[in-house]
Amino acid sequence: MRNLMSLFDSFIMQRKKILLFFLLLCSYIGSISATDFSINRKKERSKFWTFFHLDSTATNLKYTTSDYLSENTPQQWGVKVGGYVGVDLNWDTRHNVNAREGILTLYPQDIVLDANGKDINARSSFNLLAMNTRLSIRIQAPQALGANISGLVEGWFIGVSNITSNSFSLRHAFISLQWTNTKLLIGQSWHPLFTEDCFAYTVSGSAGAPFQPFSRAPQIRLDQTLGKYHHLIVYINSQRDYSSLGPNGSSSEYLRYSAIPESGLQYYFKFDKEKKNSTLFGLGGDYKYLIPRETTADNIATQKGVHSWAGLLFFHHCSYLKTDNQIGIKAKVVWTCGFNDMLTVGGYAIKYYNPLPLNQNIDYEYVGLHNISAWIDIYANIKAWEFAIFAGYCENLGALSNIQDWNNANSYFMSNFNIKNIYRIAPRIKYNAKKLQFSFEPEYTSVCYGNTRNSVGVVQKTNTDYPNAQIHAVHNLRFLFSTTLFF
């Protein structure tokens, strides 16, 4: 028994020595790690990263795909978790066309009268939401094919539809390869028409929609540097969460049935003199072909489709007054034909074939509806403060040929065929306390609706040719207060 006790005591002493050695080793490693962590944190304090336009509201910070890729280190593996907690409080004077319980608000709804002639939509509303909260995982990989390799997975708690609000859904998921003068992005990210380097940092999550194209899409995008300041973007993409409208509602099947990916080309000039001024100017075009139906109403196969295209011009100039102070102006003009998948006002219609009412059995053709939109954003960042004002305008210009049964809603595939034009004015103010941000934005939006269109789909007012035509404007004033904690 004594021998057993002696062996047990010896074993305990050995375990104590091993444990003491292990604790000393951990302490040493911990001190080294803490030093490295402190060094890395100091390097990162000057710029924390997030990947959505609302994150970009922090003063003196830019968050684009290019900024993200520049952080890649060639021969290391790494994973970083980030995102933010966002809480929005809003109050509206009228019911709006919106998504996700009002987080994405586009424009006020038209007048709808009850049995007593009272406008049902002339009603104020309030909401408080925390769905606009994001999680992102940045992935860094060793070099391959002579390129820096990285990736991003990001989601939020807004869902993919109003039915799935408060559920987690995918926003970004892409792989990127970056050479000296070439960048290749494969996966889901902002649609190139969104223009990551030129969009308004509004408090509202819509980023200026419906005046600004707003969409994320699976894509293959090549960005080639042609000179010191000149760049060319070539891309193809499909549709997922932001899809075209057609006979079966909103769906990606209309683009898929065409067997041709959406494609585009953009050129931009970018001059950046660090801490002094920067200028960006660009233009581009986009094309897609949609096939709205596989068969007619009487089950006859059809291949009739609609050609859709878009052209854009954008400009951004920023000047630094001091290290922490800057003023700038951004502007963008977009002309679309047949586009109804980017939260903009537009789409296509059934082309005129005879004076009879609309007949779904006929193998009819389609015609694109033209829409022009423009916006301007003027801002000033003064240390922890941002002061800015956004203004936007868009108008439905109609088609180039006649529409079948042009006062029939079933002849149109667009968000609202009764709209003549929309305008918005939205000043904003933001304050940043390190990674905590407070934002306030009053937003005034006005829409002109009409009850009569001409043969090419343009809304008309009362005159000799259209004695019963009427147009009227409805307005909404939104007060939005947002609190955001970045991590």
Side-chain angles (χ1 to χ4, degrees):
M1 176 65 72
R2 287 182 179 177
N3 291 335
L4 289 174
M5 291 296 293
S6 177
L7 288 172
F8 180 75
D9 290 340
S10 176
F11 175 74
I12 292 296
M13 290 300 295
Q14 293 295 326
R15 291 289 297 272
K16 287 182 178 179
K17 291 179 181 179
I18 294 171
L19 180 60
L20 180 61
F21 174 76
F22 179 74
L23 290 173
L24 289 172
L25 180 63
C26 288
S27 177
Y28 175 71
I29 294 173
S31 66
I32 296 175
S33 300
T35 303
D36 291 341
F37 177 77
S38 177
I39 293 172
N40 291 334
R41 288 293 293 172
K42 288 179 181 179
K43 290 179 180 178
E44 292 176 358
R45 280 173 188 167
S46 62
K47 179 181 178 182
F48 68 91
W49 180 93
T50 47
F51 203 83
F52 179 62
H53 71 270
L54 201 56
D55 306 350
S56 311
T57 54
T59 354
N60 301 325
L61 297 176
K62 294 190 299 181
Y63 305 99
T64 65
T65 305
S66 299
D67 296 324
Y68 164 69
L69 295 176
S70 66
E71 297 182 9
N72 188 52
T73 304
Q75 299 298 337
Q76 295 182 358
W77 275 103
V79 174
K80 292 184 180 180
V81 178
Y84 67 75
V85 179
V87 181
D88 292 344
L89 170 64
N90 62 69
W91 185 80
D92 292 287
T93 59
R94 185 176 181 83
H95 287 180
N96 292 279
V97 175
N98 60 58
R100 313 303 191 277
E101 299 184 28
I103 285 183
L104 296 175
T105 298
L106 300 179
Y107 49 84
Q109 293 187 23
D110 196 4
I111 296 173
V112 176
L113 301 179
D114 66 4
N116 297 319
K118 184 178 180 180
D119 183 9
I120 298 173
N121 288 326
R123 183 187 297 268
S124 59
S125 63
F126 147 85
N127 211 349
L128 176 62
L129 296 166
M131 292 190 297
N132 193 17
T133 294
R134 319 257 167 97
L135 288 175
S136 63
I137 300 175
R138 291 180 292 159
I139 304 162
Q140 175 183 293
Q143 280 190 340
L145 303 174
N148 292 345
I149 310 298
S150 55
L152 173 70
V153 177
E154 184 188 68
W156 59 352
F157 294 87
I158 205 171
V160 296
S161 66
N162 290 331
I163 299 175
T164 60
S165 291
N166 236 26
S167 62
F168 195 70
S169 62
L170 182 68
R171 284 171 51 83
H172 297 276
F174 64 76
I175 304 164
S176 56
L177 295 84
Q178 183 173 3
W179 292 270
T180 303
N181 295 313
T182 306
K183 301 173 187 177
L184 179 64
L185 184 145
I186 305 172
Q188 178 168 303
S189 187
W190 287 113
H191 193 289
L193 290 180
F194 179 80
T195 316
E196 291 179 49
D197 288 340
C198 185
F199 61 91
Y201 296 166
T202 60
V203 180
S204 171
S206 63
F211 316 98
Q212 155 80 347
F214 188 99
S215 172
R216 290 178 294 275
Q219 61 192 273
I220 299 175
R221 178 173 36 168
L222 180 70
D223 188 330
Q224 179 64 46
T225 300
L226 302 177
K228 189 174 182 180
Y229 307 119
H230 305 277
H231 304 265
L232 190 67
I233 295 177
V234 182
Y235 63 89
I236 61 171
N237 67 268
S238 63
Q239 296 178 344
R240 182 56 193 98
D241 296 337
Y242 298 84
S243 53
S244 298
L245 294 173
N248 297 323
S250 178
S251 175
S252 65
E253 65 184 22
Y254 314 122
L255 180 62
R256 289 188 284 116
Y257 289 162
S258 72
I260 302 172
E262 182 178 349
S263 57
L265 177 70
Q266 291 184 21
Y267 160 82
Y268 66 96
F269 169 90
K270 189 174 184 180
F271 170 82
D272 192 354
K273 193 171 184 179
E274 188 175 359
K275 298 303 180 183
K276 289 193 176 181
N277 58 74
S278 63
T279 300
L280 172 73
F281 168 78
L283 54 90
D286 185 282
Y287 171 80
K288 61 172 170 273
Y289 184 66
L290 305 174
I291 296 184
R293 301 191 300 174
E294 287 188 286
T295 63
T296 65
D298 55 358
N299 202 32
I300 302 299
T302 177
Q303 291 290 331
K304 299 293 177 60
V306 56
H307 299 277
S308 303
W309 56 266
L312 74 160
L313 290 168
F314 53 89
F315 170 79
H316 179 201
H317 178 76
C318 173
S319 294
Y320 290 84
L321 304 178
K322 293 181 180 180
T323 302
D324 296 328
N325 300 341
Q326 56 179 304
I327 59 173
I329 181 172
K330 302 176 183 178
K332 190 172 184 178
V333 178
V334 183
W335 190 300
T336 62
C337 175
F339 270 68
N340 55 21
D341 58 321
M342 296 190 177
L343 303 186
T344 54
V345 177
Y348 57 96
I350 297 171
K351 189 175 182 179
Y352 180 84
Y353 52 83
N354 62 42
L356 299 176
L358 179 62
N359 184 349
Q360 300 288 350
N361 293 325
I362 293 177
D363 187 14
Y364 44 68
E365 297 180 345
Y366 306 89
V367 59
L369 297 166
H370 294 257
N371 178 76
I372 188 169
S373 60
W375 60 262
I376 186 171
D377 189 69
I378 302 171
Y379 65 91
N381 294 330
I382 303 173
K383 294 186 178 179
W385 293 87
E386 178 182 306
F387 304 92
I389 184 169
F390 171 90
Y393 178 84
C394 69
E395 183 169 352
N396 173 24
L397 302 176
L400 294 181
S401 59
N402 290 340
I403 297 169
Q404 179 66 27
D405 201 2
W406 52 83
N407 277 314
N408 185 346
N410 294 324
S411 296
Y412 296 84
F413 303 100
M414 59 186 302
S415 54
N416 198 315
F417 78 117
N418 288 328
I419 289 179
K420 181 176 180 61
N421 55 58
I422 310 174
Y423 72 85
R424 174 181 298 164
I425 299 175
R428 65 182 181 272
I429 182 172
K430 301 172 185 175
Y431 175 73
N432 297 281
K434 295 185 178 179
K435 293 191 177 184
L436 182 64
Q437 183 181 91
F438 301 97
S439 308
F440 175 67
E441 183 177 67
E443 178 187 279
Y444 178 81
T445 306
S446 178
V447 186
C448 180
Y449 286 99
N451 66 346
T452 303
R453 286 139 300 280
N454 63 14
S455 62
V456 295
V458 177
V459 173
Q460 300 295 301
K461 62 181 179 180
T462 302
N463 55 40
T464 304
D465 297 327
Y466 300 94
N468 298 319
Q470 296 179 359
I471 60 173
H472 58 272
V474 294
H475 320 280
N476 177 65
L477 179 60
R478 159 171 280 217
F479 295 100
L480 174 61
F481 180 77
S482 179
T483 305
T484 309
L485 175 62
F486 302 95
F487 62 89

